[in-house]
Structure formats: structure tokens, C-alpha cells
Amino acid sequence: MAVRDILVLPDKRLRQKSAPVKAIDKSVRALVEDMFETMYAAPGIGLAAIQIGVPQRVVTMDLAKKDEPKQPQVFINPEVTWASGESATYEEGCLSIPEYYEEVSRPAKVRVKYLDLDGKQRELEADGLLATCLQHEIDHTNGVLFIDHISKLKRDMVMKKFRKAAKRGEPLKPLAEDKEPSHHIG
Ligand code: K1U
Ligand code: ZN
């Protein structure tokens, strides 16, 4: 198990479309372990494999509050099969876009089809933070970032800031505890 480096804007690999997992073997299970370790260390509530440079459709998540026992969830080849017409707005963050938070409007409810770690086909209906987080992570598997859902003006500002930081070789800070978004669980 290892904490892996998280890709940060403007890394082009974040725009790559990930490939479906063909077989849930030892290497996929090892990837999932590394993803949880990386996600908990960040800390984050979700992670897509491409964020650690692995272009496979694998997502980890844990929406447990600070004082609750861990609730690790794994979604392999997740796919939205239905989305509500009604929208919900949530202040999102992204471990690949550190210290930037913005309100994003998405379908309030979604149905998601996926494989669990045993290769069993499952489907769930989600609302609230689970619906937001699932859509954010599924977007990652398609090379889409949450800044693609905000205005071009704001997106261009974010891109400019991160390109500049990369050029200067500035150290990229993780999401600090005191900078957590207002909706934070726990
Ligand atoms: O995919 C990612 O980059 C992870 C991202 C998931 C996410 C957050 C908010 C809305 C939608 C998707 C994060 O985990 S950002 C960090 C964060 O929200 C958080 C960190 C510590 C405690 C609680 C939340
Ligand atoms: Zn993200």
C-alpha cells in the first residue's frame, strides 16, 4: 500500500478518458488500496484512478463524518443510467485543483450502475452529497473537471493561476483542514 502523488492542474492526463476495467484482479485490488490510502491522506471524500495517473474507470469514496466509522465505497466502471430533471447546487472542491471551491449545479438525483470489488453488477439511486460526489468522480473518468461546469471566465482564471504556479515550479499545497469548504461533513 502506498500514498501516491495526486495529479494537479494543468496536468494533461486529467483530460484523458479512462478505460473500463476488464477483470478485477490483484492489480485492481492493489490500485484500490493505494487509492484509499491516498484519498484518506489528502484528505478527500472521493478519488478517481486518473487522479493518481492510472487511466482506469475506478472510483473510491468515503462520505462518513469525522466522528463516524469509515464507510469506504468502491465503484468500478461506474455509469449514470438516469439523472433527474431537478438540479442541486453544491460547493465542490477537487484534490487536483487544490484550494479552489465553487458552486456547481448538477442533477439532484442520479442512478448509477457499477461493479463492486467482487465483480458483482450493482445499481444505486443517490441524492445529496453522494449524488454530487458520484457525478464529480464519474466526470473524472471521462476527463471532465468540475471547473468545466462553471463560467468560462472563472475557469480561465483558475487555469491561468495553475499554469502560472506550474511554470514557477511552486509547491502545490494539499487541501488544508482550515480551508475545508463550508459544507464539510463532520
Ligand atoms: O475528486 C476529488 O478531487 C475529490 C473531491 C470530491 C468532491 C468534493 C466535494 C464535492 C464533490 C466531490 C474531494 O474530496 S475535495 C475535498 C473535500 O471535499 C473534503 C476534504 C476533507 C473532508 C471533507 C471534504
Ligand atoms: Zn476532483
Side-chain angles (χ1 to χ4, degrees):
M1 290 231 295
V3 173
R4 309 257 211 114
D5 287 340
I6 295 177
L7 306 184
V8 170
L9 267 191
D11 196 308
K12 286 194 170 62
R13 287 172 288 179
L14 290 167
R15 292 307 192 173
Q16 201 175 329
K17 198 171 161 141
S18 297
V21 171
K22 286 193 187 129
I24 302 169
D25 55 17
K26 234 167 92 176
S27 73
V28 173
R29 283 189 285 272
L31 169 66
V32 166
E33 285 192 7
D34 282 1
M35 287 175 65
F36 274 119
E37 206 172 327
T38 306
M39 184 186 86
Y40 287 128
I45 56 173
L47 193 74
I50 191 59
Q51 292 180 277
I52 56 165
V54 180
Q56 291 199 48
R57 302 180 85 81
V58 178
V59 164
T60 54
M61 205 176 286
D62 193 332
L63 304 183
K65 295 180 181 151
K66 268 181 191 164
D67 53 353
E68 288 176 352
K70 284 183 177 172
Q71 286 166 28
Q73 297 187 80
V74 182
F75 303 91
I76 296 169
N77 300 340
E79 228 180 281
V80 174
T81 55
W82 169 84
S84 65
E86 181 203 349
S87 303
T89 302
Y90 214 86
E91 189 184 58
E92 298 193 18
C94 182
L95 298 174
S96 298
I97 313 175
E99 299 187 335
Y100 182 73
Y101 304 94
E102 192 53 75
E103 297 219 319
V104 174
S105 182
R106 300 182 184 268
K109 290 183 185 172
V110 285
R111 207 167 292 138
V112 173
K113 185 175 104 174
Y114 64 99
L115 296 177
D116 67 15
L117 256 188
D118 298 319
K120 190 168 182 243
Q121 183 84 59
R122 295 187 176 271
E123 191 160 24
L124 63 74
E125 197 167 309
D127 60 8
L129 183 57
L130 178 59
T132 297
C133 203
L134 275 166
Q135 291 174 80
H136 178 116
E137 302 306 337
I138 292 171
D139 268 359
H140 272 303
T141 69
N142 292 317
V144 175
L145 300 172
F146 85 92
I147 54 169
D148 299 332
H149 298 285
I150 64 176
S151 73
K152 183 173 176 335
L153 185 74
K154 284 180 180 168
R155 183 168 57 253
D156 288 349
M157 273 169 49
V158 175
M159 287 305 302
K160 196 172 159 187
K161 185 183 143 188
F162 279 86
R163 279 199 197 105
K164 218 164 147 184
K167 232 182 215 173
R168 288 182 179 156
E170 277 175 17
L172 294 151
K173 294 174 212 148
L175 286 164
E177 293 258 342
D178 59 345
K179 298 257 180 169
E180 285 176 2
S182 52
H183 64 258
H184 258 195
I185 44 183

